[in-house]
Amino acid sequence: MAGHSKWAKLKHTKGKTDAQKSKLFSKLVRFVSVEAKKSKGDRSAPGLRAAIDKARAANMPADNIDRAIEKASTSGELEQVVYEAYGPGGVALVIEGYTDSRNRTAQEIKHLLGEHGVQLANPGAASWAFQKGEQGLEPQTTVELSDEDGTKLSELVDALEDHDDVSEVYTNAA
């Protein structure tokens, strides 16, 4: 029987999990790099300590963490960006990320939003609906969505989270 080996099945399964790990690790490396740049490589700084703990919780190898810190403290021009938009059903979106090119990332985010029928909003247009919490931004008010709008929002959030420069997407959907 051609194509029915254990290795073929394992290869495809391993390929999927490796792709997911790679995506997660690249986001964590960016996060660690930004925090290392802010703290100038001081591992005892609270922000960098939290970033390292988050990377370790995701089973990122220590070598990768050390390389990210070393690279960021010697060079690296990653900066934090925040974009705001209103999604399907009037849901407020706050998109946080880290980038080395503001213009490139802004255009890519605009393109992703445009594919889903959403446009960027002015700074502060959607952030009023959120407050800082322990786990990032938490909605102050929530918006009820229909099933159709819920699926559109889900597709949009998935597309945004697949982007390399995006680290978090917050919504105020109920």
Side-chain angles (χ1 to χ4, degrees):
M1 290 175 58
H4 288 84
S5 68
K6 235 183 213 181
W7 169 243
K9 186 176 179 181
L10 287 173
K11 181 173 68 171
H12 294 298
T13 305
K14 185 174 176 358
K16 286 180 185 175
T17 58
D18 286 351
Q20 290 171 344
K21 273 188 183 179
S22 173
K23 186 186 215 179
L24 177 65
F25 285 1
S26 65
K27 287 187 180 202
L28 289 172
V29 163
R30 282 183 183 265
F31 182 56
V32 169
S33 297
V34 168
E35 292 299 328
K37 186 176 178 189
K38 285 181 186 175
S39 67
K40 297 182 178 120
D42 180 19
R43 288 177 178 261
S44 62
L48 183 55
R49 185 95 233 119
I52 291 171
D53 291 343
K54 190 173 183 180
R56 284 192 179 144
N59 292 327
M60 180 183 268
D63 291 344
N64 292 12
I65 296 170
D66 293 338
R67 263 186 269 131
I69 293 170
E70 185 66 32
K71 185 176 178 183
S73 58
T74 58
S75 66
E77 294 298 320
L78 288 179
E79 58 182 314
Q80 185 175 14
V81 291
V82 177
Y83 301 105
E84 299 178 21
Y86 278 97
V91 172
L93 296 166
V94 175
I95 306 158
E96 292 182 349
Y98 301 101
T99 184
D100 54 354
S101 173
R102 272 183 176 272
N103 292 335
R104 175 187 49 80
T105 302
Q107 291 306 315
E108 290 173 354
I109 297 296
K110 276 184 191 177
H111 178 73
L112 275 174
L113 292 173
E115 285 179 341
H116 292 31
V118 178
Q119 293 182 345
L120 279 178
N122 292 330
S127 62
W128 67 268
F130 299 91
Q131 63 186 2
K132 291 235 183 226
E134 291 180 18
Q135 300 296 324
L137 295 177
E138 296 175 354
Q140 289 181 340
T141 61
T142 57
V143 175
E144 295 291 327
L145 290 179
S146 66
D147 291 338
E148 182 182 332
D149 286 339
T151 56
K152 287 180 183 178
L153 180 65
S154 169
E155 291 172 3
L156 173 61
V157 170
D158 288 343
L160 288 169
E161 286 179 344
D162 285 344
H163 193 278
D164 289 337
D165 292 344
V166 175
S167 62
E168 295 288 334
V169 178
Y170 301 101
T171 69
N172 68 341

